[in-house]
mmCIF file of all heavy atoms in Angstrom:
data_model
loop_
_atom_site.group_PDB
_atom_site.id
_atom_site.type_symbol
_atom_site.label_atom_id
_atom_site.label_comp_id
_atom_site.label_asym_id
_atom_site.label_seq_id
_atom_site.Cartn_x
_atom_site.Cartn_y
_atom_site.Cartn_z
ATOM 1 N N VAL Y 58 29.426 16.920 -9.445
ATOM 2 C CA VAL Y 58 29.430 16.977 -7.985
ATOM 3 C C VAL Y 58 28.212 16.228 -7.435
ATOM 4 O O VAL Y 58 27.102 16.382 -7.933
ATOM 5 C CB VAL Y 58 29.388 18.445 -7.506
ATOM 6 C CG1 VAL Y 58 29.324 18.527 -5.997
ATOM 7 C CG2 VAL Y 58 30.588 19.206 -8.035
ATOM 8 N N ILE Y 59 28.444 15.421 -6.410
ATOM 9 C CA ILE Y 59 27.364 14.697 -5.749
ATOM 10 C C ILE Y 59 26.792 15.613 -4.679
ATOM 11 O O ILE Y 59 27.507 16.065 -3.791
ATOM 12 C CB ILE Y 59 27.895 13.395 -5.107
ATOM 13 C CG1 ILE Y 59 28.621 12.543 -6.146
ATOM 14 C CG2 ILE Y 59 26.756 12.616 -4.469
ATOM 15 C CD1 ILE Y 59 29.411 11.399 -5.556
ATOM 16 N N LYS Y 60 25.498 15.873 -4.753
ATOM 17 C CA LYS Y 60 24.883 16.844 -3.850
ATOM 18 C C LYS Y 60 24.605 16.295 -2.458
ATOM 19 O O LYS Y 60 24.769 16.973 -1.467
ATOM 20 C CB LYS Y 60 23.590 17.368 -4.474
ATOM 21 C CG LYS Y 60 23.833 18.162 -5.756
ATOM 22 C CD LYS Y 60 22.535 18.452 -6.474
ATOM 23 C CE LYS Y 60 22.749 19.173 -7.768
ATOM 24 N NZ LYS Y 60 23.393 18.410 -8.793
ATOM 25 N N ASP Y 61 24.191 15.072 -2.357
ATOM 26 C CA ASP Y 61 23.761 14.444 -1.113
ATOM 27 C C ASP Y 61 24.966 13.866 -0.349
ATOM 28 O O ASP Y 61 25.760 13.118 -0.912
ATOM 29 C CB ASP Y 61 22.760 13.349 -1.508
ATOM 30 C CG ASP Y 61 22.272 12.514 -0.370
ATOM 31 O OD1 ASP Y 61 23.110 11.998 0.379
ATOM 32 O OD2 ASP Y 61 21.050 12.355 -0.252
ATOM 33 N N GLU Y 62 25.106 14.211 0.934
ATOM 34 C CA GLU Y 62 26.264 13.752 1.709
ATOM 35 C C GLU Y 62 26.321 12.237 1.811
ATOM 36 O O GLU Y 62 27.396 11.643 1.726
ATOM 37 C CB GLU Y 62 26.272 14.359 3.115
ATOM 38 C CG GLU Y 62 27.515 13.929 3.882
ATOM 39 C CD GLU Y 62 27.612 14.491 5.278
ATOM 40 O OE1 GLU Y 62 26.566 14.687 5.924
ATOM 41 O OE2 GLU Y 62 28.747 14.724 5.724
ATOM 42 N N PHE Y 63 25.185 11.590 1.989
ATOM 43 C CA PHE Y 63 25.155 10.128 2.077
ATOM 44 C C PHE Y 63 25.776 9.508 0.820
ATOM 45 O O PHE Y 63 26.589 8.592 0.911
ATOM 46 C CB PHE Y 63 23.715 9.633 2.265
ATOM 47 C CG PHE Y 63 23.584 8.142 2.226
ATOM 48 C CD1 PHE Y 63 23.961 7.372 3.318
ATOM 49 C CD2 PHE Y 63 23.106 7.505 1.091
ATOM 50 C CE1 PHE Y 63 23.862 5.988 3.282
ATOM 51 C CE2 PHE Y 63 22.996 6.126 1.049
ATOM 52 C CZ PHE Y 63 23.373 5.365 2.135
ATOM 53 N N HIS Y 64 25.409 10.014 -0.350
ATOM 54 C CA HIS Y 64 25.948 9.481 -1.597
ATOM 55 C C HIS Y 64 27.437 9.820 -1.767
ATOM 56 O O HIS Y 64 28.195 9.047 -2.357
ATOM 57 C CB HIS Y 64 25.131 9.975 -2.798
ATOM 58 C CG HIS Y 64 23.795 9.316 -2.890
ATOM 59 N ND1 HIS Y 64 22.642 9.951 -2.508
ATOM 60 C CD2 HIS Y 64 23.437 8.071 -3.274
ATOM 61 C CE1 HIS Y 64 21.630 9.127 -2.676
ATOM 62 N NE2 HIS Y 64 22.080 7.978 -3.125
ATOM 63 N N ARG Y 65 27.868 10.951 -1.233
ATOM 64 C CA ARG Y 65 29.303 11.281 -1.274
ATOM 65 C C ARG Y 65 30.088 10.301 -0.407
ATOM 66 O O ARG Y 65 31.168 9.844 -0.790
ATOM 67 C CB ARG Y 65 29.534 12.720 -0.814
ATOM 68 C CG ARG Y 65 29.036 13.760 -1.785
ATOM 69 C CD ARG Y 65 29.534 15.157 -1.456
ATOM 70 N NE ARG Y 65 29.336 15.550 -0.085
ATOM 71 C CZ ARG Y 65 28.369 16.361 0.350
ATOM 72 N NH1 ARG Y 65 27.508 16.859 -0.492
ATOM 73 N NH2 ARG Y 65 28.282 16.682 1.618
ATOM 74 N N ILE Y 66 29.545 9.966 0.763
ATOM 75 C CA ILE Y 66 30.195 8.991 1.648
ATOM 76 C C ILE Y 66 30.253 7.628 0.971
ATOM 77 O O ILE Y 66 31.286 6.949 0.997
ATOM 78 C CB ILE Y 66 29.459 8.915 3.005
ATOM 79 C CG1 ILE Y 66 29.646 10.226 3.777
ATOM 80 C CG2 ILE Y 66 29.963 7.737 3.839
ATOM 81 C CD1 ILE Y 66 28.743 10.373 4.987
ATOM 82 N N CYS Y 67 29.154 7.233 0.336
ATOM 83 C CA CYS Y 67 29.122 5.948 -0.384
ATOM 84 C C CYS Y 67 30.167 5.919 -1.492
ATOM 85 O O CYS Y 67 30.868 4.913 -1.668
ATOM 86 C CB CYS Y 67 27.732 5.693 -0.966
ATOM 87 S SG CYS Y 67 26.486 5.337 0.273
ATOM 88 N N GLN Y 68 30.283 7.006 -2.236
ATOM 89 C CA GLN Y 68 31.265 7.065 -3.318
ATOM 90 C C GLN Y 68 32.683 7.015 -2.765
ATOM 91 O O GLN Y 68 33.546 6.325 -3.314
ATOM 92 C CB GLN Y 68 31.059 8.314 -4.183
ATOM 93 C CG GLN Y 68 32.042 8.457 -5.321
ATOM 94 C CD GLN Y 68 31.920 7.394 -6.405
ATOM 95 O OE1 GLN Y 68 31.127 6.468 -6.298
ATOM 96 N NE2 GLN Y 68 32.712 7.516 -7.441
ATOM 97 N N PHE Y 69 32.933 7.715 -1.675
ATOM 98 C CA PHE Y 69 34.252 7.665 -1.044
ATOM 99 C C PHE Y 69 34.579 6.226 -0.643
ATOM 100 O O PHE Y 69 35.692 5.739 -0.881
ATOM 101 C CB PHE Y 69 34.296 8.588 0.182
ATOM 102 C CG PHE Y 69 35.582 8.502 0.943
ATOM 103 C CD1 PHE Y 69 36.701 9.188 0.506
ATOM 104 C CD2 PHE Y 69 35.679 7.717 2.078
ATOM 105 C CE1 PHE Y 69 37.906 9.105 1.193
ATOM 106 C CE2 PHE Y 69 36.874 7.627 2.775
ATOM 107 C CZ PHE Y 69 37.988 8.313 2.334
ATOM 108 N N TYR Y 70 33.614 5.536 -0.065
ATOM 109 C CA TYR Y 70 33.830 4.155 0.369
ATOM 110 C C TYR Y 70 34.066 3.241 -0.836
ATOM 111 O O TYR Y 70 34.942 2.375 -0.796
ATOM 112 C CB TYR Y 70 32.646 3.671 1.204
ATOM 113 C CG TYR Y 70 32.845 2.296 1.782
ATOM 114 C CD1 TYR Y 70 33.894 2.026 2.657
ATOM 115 C CD2 TYR Y 70 31.988 1.253 1.453
ATOM 116 C CE1 TYR Y 70 34.080 0.769 3.184
ATOM 117 C CE2 TYR Y 70 32.163 -0.010 1.979
ATOM 118 C CZ TYR Y 70 33.215 -0.255 2.843
ATOM 119 O OH TYR Y 70 33.399 -1.505 3.357
ATOM 120 N N ARG Y 71 33.320 3.439 -1.918
ATOM 121 C CA ARG Y 71 33.549 2.653 -3.136
ATOM 122 C C ARG Y 71 34.989 2.849 -3.631
ATOM 123 O O ARG Y 71 35.668 1.905 -4.027
ATOM 124 C CB ARG Y 71 32.587 3.059 -4.249
ATOM 125 C CG ARG Y 71 31.208 2.523 -4.126
ATOM 126 C CD ARG Y 71 30.422 2.864 -5.396
ATOM 127 N NE ARG Y 71 29.030 2.963 -5.100
ATOM 128 C CZ ARG Y 71 28.321 4.079 -5.039
ATOM 129 N NH1 ARG Y 71 28.876 5.246 -5.288
ATOM 130 N NH2 ARG Y 71 27.050 4.059 -4.751
ATOM 131 N N LEU Y 72 35.429 4.101 -3.624
ATOM 132 C CA LEU Y 72 36.800 4.388 -4.060
ATOM 133 C C LEU Y 72 37.815 3.721 -3.134
ATOM 134 O O LEU Y 72 38.833 3.206 -3.592
ATOM 135 C CB LEU Y 72 37.035 5.896 -4.122
ATOM 136 C CG LEU Y 72 36.278 6.643 -5.212
ATOM 137 C CD1 LEU Y 72 36.428 8.150 -5.019
ATOM 138 C CD2 LEU Y 72 36.747 6.239 -6.596
ATOM 139 N N ALA Y 73 37.546 3.739 -1.839
ATOM 140 C CA ALA Y 73 38.444 3.109 -0.877
ATOM 141 C C ALA Y 73 38.482 1.591 -1.098
ATOM 142 O O ALA Y 73 39.556 0.977 -1.036
ATOM 143 C CB ALA Y 73 38.008 3.437 0.548
ATOM 144 N N LEU Y 74 37.331 0.983 -1.371
ATOM 145 C CA LEU Y 74 37.309 -0.454 -1.676
ATOM 146 C C LEU Y 74 38.107 -0.736 -2.943
ATOM 147 O O LEU Y 74 38.868 -1.708 -3.001
ATOM 148 C CB LEU Y 74 35.863 -0.940 -1.842
ATOM 149 C CG LEU Y 74 35.034 -1.050 -0.574
ATOM 150 C CD1 LEU Y 74 33.575 -1.325 -0.920
ATOM 151 C CD2 LEU Y 74 35.586 -2.133 0.341
ATOM 152 N N LEU Y 75 37.929 0.106 -3.938
ATOM 153 C CA LEU Y 75 38.659 -0.038 -5.193
ATOM 154 C C LEU Y 75 40.164 0.077 -4.951
ATOM 155 O O LEU Y 75 40.954 -0.680 -5.510
ATOM 156 C CB LEU Y 75 38.181 1.024 -6.186
ATOM 157 C CG LEU Y 75 38.809 1.040 -7.564
ATOM 158 C CD1 LEU Y 75 38.574 -0.286 -8.285
ATOM 159 C CD2 LEU Y 75 38.234 2.188 -8.379
ATOM 160 N N MET Y 76 40.543 0.990 -4.082
ATOM 161 C CA MET Y 76 41.949 1.207 -3.760
ATOM 162 C C MET Y 76 42.565 -0.058 -3.155
ATOM 163 O O MET Y 76 43.721 -0.375 -3.405
ATOM 164 C CB MET Y 76 42.064 2.381 -2.783
ATOM 165 C CG MET Y 76 43.459 2.745 -2.371
ATOM 166 S SD MET Y 76 43.502 4.279 -1.413
ATOM 167 C CE MET Y 76 42.990 3.710 0.196
ATOM 168 N N HIS Y 77 41.781 -0.787 -2.365
ATOM 169 C CA HIS Y 77 42.293 -1.972 -1.676
ATOM 170 C C HIS Y 77 42.156 -3.266 -2.478
ATOM 171 O O HIS Y 77 42.783 -4.259 -2.139
ATOM 172 C CB HIS Y 77 41.559 -2.156 -0.344
ATOM 173 C CG HIS Y 77 41.975 -1.182 0.704
ATOM 174 N ND1 HIS Y 77 43.149 -1.305 1.412
ATOM 175 C CD2 HIS Y 77 41.377 -0.070 1.167
ATOM 176 C CE1 HIS Y 77 43.252 -0.306 2.273
ATOM 177 N NE2 HIS Y 77 42.191 0.473 2.134
ATOM 178 N N CYS Y 78 41.345 -3.271 -3.530
ATOM 179 C CA CYS Y 78 41.002 -4.553 -4.157
ATOM 180 C C CYS Y 78 42.155 -5.220 -4.892
ATOM 181 O O CYS Y 78 42.145 -6.430 -5.052
ATOM 182 C CB CYS Y 78 39.756 -4.434 -5.016
ATOM 183 S SG CYS Y 78 39.972 -3.699 -6.611
ATOM 184 N N ASP Y 79 43.173 -4.486 -5.309
ATOM 185 C CA ASP Y 79 44.302 -5.136 -5.983
ATOM 186 C C ASP Y 79 45.375 -5.586 -4.996
ATOM 187 O O ASP Y 79 46.360 -6.203 -5.386
ATOM 188 C CB ASP Y 79 44.903 -4.243 -7.073
ATOM 189 C CG ASP Y 79 45.552 -2.978 -6.547
ATOM 190 O OD1 ASP Y 79 45.469 -2.714 -5.339
ATOM 191 O OD2 ASP Y 79 46.130 -2.233 -7.356
ATOM 192 N N GLY Y 80 45.179 -5.288 -3.710
ATOM 193 C CA GLY Y 80 46.118 -5.735 -2.690
ATOM 194 C C GLY Y 80 47.361 -4.884 -2.554
ATOM 195 O O GLY Y 80 48.233 -5.185 -1.744
ATOM 196 N N VAL Y 81 47.448 -3.812 -3.337
ATOM 197 C CA VAL Y 81 48.621 -2.935 -3.289
ATOM 198 C C VAL Y 81 48.141 -1.502 -3.083
ATOM 199 O O VAL Y 81 47.325 -0.996 -3.844
ATOM 200 C CB VAL Y 81 49.434 -3.009 -4.612
ATOM 201 C CG1 VAL Y 81 50.647 -2.101 -4.543
ATOM 202 C CG2 VAL Y 81 49.841 -4.434 -4.909
ATOM 203 N N LEU Y 82 48.656 -0.865 -2.031
ATOM 204 C CA LEU Y 82 48.314 0.533 -1.770
ATOM 205 C C LEU Y 82 49.433 1.427 -2.296
ATOM 206 O O LEU Y 82 50.543 1.412 -1.781
ATOM 207 C CB LEU Y 82 48.140 0.783 -0.268
ATOM 208 C CG LEU Y 82 46.902 0.192 0.371
ATOM 209 C CD1 LEU Y 82 46.911 0.430 1.876
ATOM 210 C CD2 LEU Y 82 45.655 0.762 -0.243
ATOM 211 N N HIS Y 83 49.133 2.167 -3.322
ATOM 212 C CA HIS Y 83 50.108 3.086 -3.914
ATOM 213 C C HIS Y 83 49.964 4.454 -3.258
ATOM 214 O O HIS Y 83 48.864 4.870 -2.890
ATOM 215 C CB HIS Y 83 49.867 3.228 -5.425
ATOM 216 C CG HIS Y 83 50.060 1.957 -6.170
ATOM 217 N ND1 HIS Y 83 51.285 1.517 -6.588
ATOM 218 C CD2 HIS Y 83 49.171 1.017 -6.564
ATOM 219 C CE1 HIS Y 83 51.155 0.365 -7.213
ATOM 220 N NE2 HIS Y 83 49.877 0.036 -7.216
#
Side-chain angles (χ1 to χ4, degrees):
V58 177
I59 305 168
K60 295 170 183 68
D61 176 308
E62 183 180 33
F63 174 77
H64 287 103
R65 290 192 310 258
I66 292 168
C67 290
Q68 180 67 356
F69 175 80
Y70 185 61
R71 282 187 208 107
L72 291 171
L74 287 171
L75 181 60
M76 181 172 79
H77 286 282
C78 78
D79 66 355
V81 180
L82 288 176
H83 297 276

